[in-house]
Amino acid sequence: MIKTAIRNALLALILVPCARPASGGVVVIGHPSLVGKLDEPTVQKIFTGKVIEVGGVSVTAVNARLGSPMRNQFLQVILHQDEDKYTAYWTVRRYIGKGAPPREMTSSADIITFVTSTPGAVGYIDESDVKPGLNVLLQK
Amino acid sequence: MNRMGGCPTPGCGLTLSQSIPGFRFSLGMSVSLRLALGLVPCMFAGSAFAADVSVSGFGTAGYTQSDQSFGYQRFIDDSGTFKRDSLFGLQADAKLFHKFGATLQLKAAASNSSDDDFKVTVEWAFVSYRPTNSWLLRAGKLRVPIYMNSENLDVGVTFDFARLPAEMYSLTTNANFTGLSFAKDWGIGASELTLDGYWGRAKVDFRFWLRDDIPPVQSAGARFERFDVEALGLGLALRHGESLYRAHVSRATAKLPSGTFPSTFPFVPLFPGVGYYQTSPQLPGPGVPQTDSTRNTIVILGADQKLPAGMRFVGEYVRRIVQKSEIGPDTSGGYVSLLRRFGTFTPYFVYAFLQSQAEERQLYTAVNENTVPSFIPGAEQINLAQRAGADGIVAYDQSSWALGASFSPFRKSKIKAEFQRAQIREAPGFVDAPSGGNVRNQNINIFSLSYNFVF
């Protein structure tokens, strides 16, 4: 666990200066099993663990890597909060026994792969990474 | 029900202990928990679930020192201690299926059943089921949200106070119950209303401090009695933005499985103006009324209100009603606090109080101060028995104020410093009074410094 944390920290140090800034809007994508669009409050609830089911489909949220421009933009534009607040929220929620935060993925490509292959998966990417055939649930 | 700080930890039916010179370290778990513990690794074991197990940890390295030679909240005195606040915990959260989860939490901290041990305990071991977005059902060993910070009280990063007020958090069962709980949410506009309830059983260690050696009856020092507690409760919480308001009612029965305990001490008059309280069946008198259990009703109100200019008000009030005993913790307590956030720096002020009902305080004072003249046969033993009886009365009469601050140098850590002044009035409460003496109408100045983290 500690080794993993150190490795992630080192990776973050290496990657952050090279990370491509989020160039456009935020696009929330989902597995094709999720039919229709989602409104912003629903997306907020999915990424705060308050909603686990949409239209009868169990959802699994995935976040972008901690500190990534995409994640910061998503938090700001969709969740209307910063990383400190979001981390603090999940710290409390975890330690009142109400679950763990969404899994983190290192790149948009990983998020797209996971979302398209996992029923009920919901993630977000930069609009410049949107490819034809992706199930767009919300765009801002 | 624990008189000291921290939460009582039930469940030590099976204990593995290893002695190290001057220190004991033990791993304890109840027999009833072994089944749950056995289940959780099995549930984690399937490769399909392996990726959904999240392991995290938390800890506090806390140093505390007072300006008094006697103990306060078990460990705090003028020689300083790390034992009062330091702890380390690990938690595994597993998402088994989309609607099922399991949580296991281990904690290493000062034992609740001994002042000498540092113990690893299973705090949580439960499975959860969310049939819909608004329902949460849990079964196993879990801590129920009696107070605002009951569930997360071991995780210092989740609050700004150096120590949650003992007047509120160190008395009623913060024990982890083995049982069932539910929570149901309703969205009301921008607000969220939550109804939660629980039923469960726990073994709770209650600590008494005996001031005097009375050979061969008792030795001075801490004595722990283990009670079987069965409780159920209902709570209602309304969250609006960053503000929270909550009310909770619990009913609990605490039973001493090893026998009975006094429910009061009758006065035995010898002649006008002189007599004694029969604190022991060995003393002549009408007999000491006994009970094998107490019934407790706990009513709690709390609010965490966001205020303008980055300020926050946090306060809780608890009324504990104890039936079937006149020597139990029939008390009113609470705290009010004001916090102001300046970026990563949050100074705060807290005022807290805890007071037993007048009958308990009067009985404590009467028994504690009563003496018979030396010409009465057995006067010395009678007088010692009066003090021993007083030590068995759970009476509180104190308040405290604290000025402190938390500082978050990193996202997942907090450094906290606090100065607290506790004012002990007629009843000793959390004080370990010295042999042959009393501690009353006295101030205790306490300085605390801690580093809190999660990972």
Side-chain angles (χ1 to χ4, degrees):
Chain A
M1 183 67 197
I2 293 170
K3 275 184 181 172
T4 308
I6 293 170
R7 192 190 64 203
N8 289 343
L10 288 172
L11 273 173
L13 282 174
I14 295 164
L15 292 173
V16 164
C18 312
R20 184 162 52 93
S23 58
V26 179
V27 178
V28 178
I29 57 171
H31 186 267
S33 56
L34 293 163
V35 179
K37 303 291 181 191
L38 297 181
D39 58 14
E40 191 174 295
T42 303
V43 174
Q44 289 171 352
K45 287 176 181 172
I46 289 171
F47 281 85
T48 50
K50 291 177 179 174
V51 159
I52 57 155
E53 189 179 82
V54 175
V57 178
S58 294
V59 295
T60 302
V62 284
N63 263 324
R65 176 175 47 81
L66 179 70
S68 65
M70 189 63 247
R71 175 169 167 140
N72 291 339
Q73 192 175 351
F74 172 77
L75 291 177
Q76 189 183 341
V77 172
I78 306 286
L79 265 60
H80 307 296
Q81 54 185 285
D82 60 17
E83 186 64 54
D84 285 352
K85 219 166 189 177
Y86 188 64
T87 301
Y89 169 84
W90 271 110
T91 301
V92 172
R93 193 166 174 90
R94 182 196 288 273
Y95 293 114
I96 60 172
K98 291 195 171 174
R103 196 191 307 178
E104 293 174 9
M105 304 252 159
T106 51
S107 68
S108 290
D110 289 345
I111 292 173
I112 291 169
T113 303
F114 180 81
V115 166
T116 52
S117 62
T118 310
V122 179
Y124 51 86
I125 55 175
D126 189 275
E127 68 178 355
S128 62
D129 293 323
V130 175
K131 295 169 184 167
L134 281 178
N135 183 19
V136 175
L137 302 173
L138 176 68
Q139 185 159 12
K140 277 201 87 175
Chain B
M1 283 197 56
N2 198 320
R3 286 180 75 180
M4 37 64 74
C7 58
T9 302
C12 295
L14 184 72
T15 301
L16 304 171
S17 296
Q18 184 176 2
S19 293
I20 301 169
F23 199 70
R24 286 210 311 278
F25 189 81
S26 61
L27 173 64
M29 67 184 79
S30 70
V31 173
S32 63
L33 263 184
R34 285 184 294 168
L35 181 62
L37 284 175
L39 283 174
V40 171
C42 292
M43 292 186 291
F44 289 179
S47 59
F49 305 134
D52 288 333
V53 177
S54 165
V55 177
S56 59
F58 57 91
T60 296
Y63 178 80
T64 306
Q65 186 169 349
S66 79
D67 62 347
Q68 299 293 342
S69 58
F70 53 79
Y72 179 66
Q73 294 183 42
R74 293 177 70 186
F75 301 119
I76 304 171
D77 59 23
D78 58 4
S79 57
T81 182
F82 283 95
K83 292 173 76 175
R84 171 62 182 85
D85 295 327
S86 298
L87 58 86
F88 181 77
L90 284 174
Q91 182 170 316
D93 294 283
K95 193 172 177 182
L96 305 178
F97 308 99
H98 283 300
K99 293 183 177 178
F100 286 89
T103 299
L104 179 69
Q105 187 188 91
L106 304 176
K107 185 181 84 173
S111 170
N112 287 315
S113 56
S114 162
D115 282 356
D116 303 321
D117 293 354
F118 199 76
K119 198 170 186 176
V120 179
T121 50
V122 177
E123 294 290 293
W124 297 352
F126 63 82
V127 290
S128 55
Y129 174 54
R130 286 183 70 178
T132 68
N133 290 327
S134 60
W135 279 96
L136 172 64
L137 308 173
R138 294 188 284 187
K141 187 177 184 185
L142 44 93
R143 190 176 297 160
V144 291
I146 295 175
Y147 302 125
M148 210 177 282
N149 289 292
S150 288
E151 293 158 297
N152 55 303
L153 64 85
D154 292 324
V155 188
V157 167
T158 59
F159 49 85
D160 289 302
F161 306 127
R163 190 178 308 113
L164 290 165
E167 288 86 348
M168 187 81 192
Y169 280 83
S170 294
L171 190 58
T172 308
T173 49
N174 279 314
N176 298 315
F177 287 88
T178 300
L180 308 166
S181 80
F182 77 88
K184 165 77 174 139
D185 297 325
W186 292 273
I188 304 172
S191 303
E192 186 177 86
L193 186 69
T194 303
L195 175 71
D196 57 64
Y198 76 96
W199 166 87
R201 290 184 174 140
K203 293 186 183 298
V204 179
D205 292 306
F206 198 101
R207 181 179 182 270
F208 294 89
W209 179 256
L210 306 174
R211 287 170 290 179
D212 304 318
D213 268 322
I214 313 178
V217 179
Q218 71 174 36
S219 300
R223 178 177 166 183
F224 293 83
E225 293 284 357
R226 177 160 294 174
F227 285 79
D228 287 338
V229 177
E230 181 171 353
L232 56 87
L234 270 181
L236 198 61
L238 178 68
R239 182 174 290 280
H240 181 77
E242 293 179 35
S243 298
L244 174 71
Y245 316 94
R246 60 189 306 277
H248 180 94
V249 179
S250 272
R251 288 295 304 265
T253 303
K255 191 169 184 178
L256 190 63
S258 57
T260 59
F261 55 94
S263 58
T264 190
F265 299 131
F267 186 72
V268 181
L270 295 175
F271 45 83
V274 176
Y276 61 87
Y277 288 88
Q278 191 185 7
T279 56
S280 163
Q282 278 73 46
L283 292 174
V288 183
Q290 301 280 317
T291 181
D292 67 345
S293 63
T294 62
R295 274 198 215 104
N296 310 314
T297 302
I298 302 150
V299 180
I300 296 163
L301 298 172
D304 183 340
Q305 173 70 50
K306 186 182 180 188
L307 300 172
M311 298 192 77
R312 251 175 81 209
F313 165 85
V314 183
E316 290 182 270
Y317 170 81
V318 58
R319 173 76 179 95
R320 308 171 181 93
I321 302 161
V322 177
Q323 293 169 296
K324 295 179 70 178
S325 174
E326 291 176 18
I327 65 170
D330 197 330
T331 58
S332 300
Y335 67 94
V336 289
S337 63
L338 207 56
L339 304 90
R340 168 74 162 91
R341 189 172 174 189
F342 299 93
T344 56
F345 180 68
T346 307
Y348 63 83
F349 175 81
V350 187
Y351 172 80
F353 74 98
L354 178 60
Q355 191 171 51
S356 292
Q357 298 306 293
E359 294 82 0
E360 281 75 22
R361 280 185 285 132
Q362 286 161 7
L363 181 64
Y364 173 81
T365 302
V367 174
N368 189 51
E369 293 183 350
N370 187 62
T371 55
V372 296
S374 57
F375 63 82
I376 301 289
E380 188 184 353
Q381 291 302 312
I382 292 172
N383 291 337
L384 281 170
Q386 304 294 275
R387 285 170 56 81
D391 289 342
I393 299 172
V394 188
Y396 298 87
D397 188 9
Q398 74 167 70
S399 61
S400 68
W401 60 263
L403 202 55
S406 79
F407 170 60
S408 302
F410 306 107
R411 198 167 282 141
K412 294 188 173 184
S413 64
K414 272 187 179 152
I415 295 169
K416 303 177 185 179
E418 181 185 275
F419 173 79
Q420 182 187 48
R421 172 168 290 182
Q423 297 161 311
I424 311 299
R425 289 187 286 269
E426 291 302 316
F430 303 113
V431 169
D432 294 344
S435 184
N438 287 299
V439 173
R440 58 189 168 204
N441 300 318
Q442 190 160 351
N443 292 340
I444 307 171
N445 296 313
I446 302 152
F447 175 73
S448 302
L449 182 66
S450 66
Y451 176 69
N452 308 264
F453 59 92
V454 294
F455 60 89

